[in-house]
Amino acid sequence: MTDQIVEMMNANLASTIPIADKMGLKIVEARRGFAAASVPVEGNGNHFGVIYAGVQFTVAEILGGIIALSTFDTSKFFPLVKNVDITFVSMATTPLRAEASLDDETIARVAAEAAERGKANYTLEAVVSDANGTVVATTRGLYQLRAHNR
């Protein structure tokens, strides 16, 4: 089931977030409470030979939506981003992988609150690492799960 979700998300990326598709961003894992995405070096460099900051931001930020889509009832709710802060830790010169997770307690709280109030906020911390496992950036994002009919 997880592989089917990932394939579907990647197939829809070009129409849902065209710039992420153009970056070569790929969702590599998507399951309840966990998401990971990757982005290549090719085509994503900047003027001094490292991966552009906006690409690093995108590979991390997209995880808030991916987790929501693979964790909550998409027939009732959709995710949106309210705020994301990023800290650049090291130069990025290799393909990148970003990962984030939500614990079971947070998932239960968000699901209950969204069902009751029509929306619920959740905070997600992501880590962006290079091919050697070196952390190159971290993010802290505020996302919202919102009912379709509100």
Side-chain angles (χ1 to χ4, degrees):
M1 178 84 137
T2 300
D3 290 340
Q4 290 174 337
I5 292 170
V6 168
E7 287 176 26
M8 177 194 67
M9 289 178 175
N10 282 317
N12 291 323
L13 200 56
S15 63
T16 57
I17 309 174
I19 193 65
D21 183 62
K22 186 172 172 92
M23 289 175 189
L25 189 145
K26 296 289 180 212
I27 290 90
V28 293
E29 290 184 60
R31 62 180 185 274
R32 184 180 190 276
F34 182 82
S38 67
V39 69
V41 172
E42 297 78 20
N44 290 318
N46 65 13
H47 59 288
F48 58 93
V50 299
I51 296 180
Y52 174 61
V55 173
Q56 294 178 55
F57 177 89
T58 302
V59 75
E61 184 280 324
I62 199 169
L63 299 178
I66 299 304
I67 282 181
L69 295 172
S70 60
T71 302
F72 302 106
D73 185 347
T74 58
S75 70
K76 296 179 182 175
F77 303 103
F78 67 94
L80 57 88
V81 62
K82 295 181 76 175
N83 181 69
V84 178
D85 293 315
I86 188 165
T87 301
F88 298 100
V89 180
S90 183
M91 300 279 195
T93 59
T94 70
L96 300 179
R97 178 183 171 101
E99 294 185 0
S101 61
L102 283 179
D103 61 46
D104 288 337
E105 183 179 317
T106 301
I107 292 169
R109 177 193 59 79
V110 170
E113 189 175 314
E116 180 183 325
R117 298 184 184 154
K119 60 185 176 180
N121 291 339
Y122 57 99
T123 300
L124 192 68
E125 295 182 358
V127 175
V128 182
S129 302
D130 69 11
N132 302 312
T134 301
V135 174
V136 298
T138 60
T139 61
R140 181 176 175 86
L142 178 63
Y143 296 84
Q144 188 173 82
L145 188 68
R146 186 174 287 195
H148 286 291
N149 61 354
R150 306 234 175 166

